[in-house]
């Protein structure tokens, strides 16, 4: 497999999942400003949407959209427990959380805050209304739980820890939500998470 990524973007969740499950993959950094890979290839020829992540499977298929890629990676390594099996109700809980993080946290909050083309009024709403509501909900769910689904780390947790990495760059303070701050700190101690985050921080710093 080959993962096309941009450092510390949502594609980080897939890197975490690959490391958690012990699956080998090639990594190709994408310069989103030019839509080219760091090696100079035309990324739009791989993913016409120009977004990351994209995954080139061993069968030559290109899969896009992080939520789909995370489940594909998890399903290739069922023993990892990164996703409950299809048909198990817990699988729908996983999909519930993946969609919530993608739509309510990633898109509505952080995409809005980081996109320079978004009007200031929308950014204010995202910061002052949407984000507190989403983080209050997540805090309530994680108050007495170590993970979002069941009793072990899943790809939903990989996505959430990735999203929480964006809090400081967005000029926000996660300590206002101590449950989330403590949860995030604990996830960053996981070997696979620490490895993935450390590698991508190093790439960002070297850019």
């Amino acid at each position: 497999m080959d993962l096309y990524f941009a450092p510390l973007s949502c594609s980080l969740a897939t890197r975490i999942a690959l490391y958690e499950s012990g699956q080998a993959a090639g990594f190709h950094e994408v310069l989103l400003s030019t839509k080219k890979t760091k090696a100079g290839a035309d990324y739009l020829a791989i993913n016409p949407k120009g977004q990351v992540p994209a995954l080139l499977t061993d069968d030559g298929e290109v899969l896009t959209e992080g939520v789909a890629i995370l489940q594909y990676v998890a399903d290739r390594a069922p023993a990892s427990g990164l996703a409950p099996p299809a048909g198990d109700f817990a699988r729908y809980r996983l999909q519930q959380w993946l969609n919530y993080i993608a739509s309510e946290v990633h898109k509505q909050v952080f995409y809005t805050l980081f996109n320079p083309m978004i009007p200031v009024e929308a950014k204010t709403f995202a910061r002052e209304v949407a984000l507190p509501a989403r983080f209050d909900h997540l805090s309530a769910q994680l108050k007495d739980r170590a993970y979002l689904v069941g009793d072990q780390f899943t790809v939903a947790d990989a996505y959430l820890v990735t999203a929480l990495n964006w809090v400081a760059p967005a000029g926000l303070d996660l300590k206002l939500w101590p449950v989330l701050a403590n949860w995030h700190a604990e996830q960053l101690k996981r070997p696979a998470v620490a490895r993935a985050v450390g590698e991508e921080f190093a790439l960002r710093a070297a850019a």
Side-chain angles (χ1 to χ4, degrees), residues 4 18 40 64 86 90 96-97 120 124 127 154 156 158 179-180 189 200:
Y4 292 85
L18 288 166
T64 63
Q96 170 185 291
W97 278 117
V120 65
T124 299
R127 181 179 294 106
T154 69
V179 169
L180 288 185
K189 295 176 185 177
E200 296 206 1

Side-chain angles (χ1 to χ4, degrees), residues 54-186:
L55 187 74
L56 178 63
T57 73
D58 292 340
D59 296 326
E61 298 283 350
V62 175
L63 188 63
T64 63
E65 301 300 327
V67 167
I69 292 171
L70 286 170
Q71 292 179 83
Y72 176 81
V73 169
D75 286 341
R76 280 176 51 90
S80 70
L82 285 173
D88 189 317
F89 191 78
R91 182 58 175 252
Y92 304 109
R93 291 293 186 201
L94 177 77
Q95 292 169 339
Q96 170 185 291
W97 278 117
L98 288 171
N99 280 283
Y100 183 83
I101 297 165
S103 61
E104 301 294 327
V105 179
H106 182 175
K107 189 73 171 182
Q108 186 170 35
V109 175
F110 289 108
Y111 176 82
T112 300
L113 293 178
F114 288 130
N115 190 329
M117 303 300 292
I118 299 290
V120 65
E121 293 84 2
K123 292 180 183 293
T124 299
F125 177 83
R127 181 179 294 106
E128 298 180 2
V129 179
L131 181 140
R134 304 316 180 253
F135 279 17
D136 286 349
H137 176 65
L138 286 163
S139 294
Q141 297 300 310
L142 288 168
K143 183 178 180 180
D144 300 311
R145 302 178 60 86
Y147 307 108
L148 287 170
V149 180
D151 58 1
Q152 68 183 86
F153 187 91
T154 69
V155 289
D157 299 299
Y159 196 0
L160 181 57
V161 73
T162 296
L164 294 180
N165 284 343
W166 303 329
V167 170
L172 304 166
D173 188 355
L174 193 57
K175 292 180 181 178
L176 296 173
W177 292 271
V179 169
L180 288 185
N182 291 335
W183 184 88
H184 185 232
E186 286 301 309

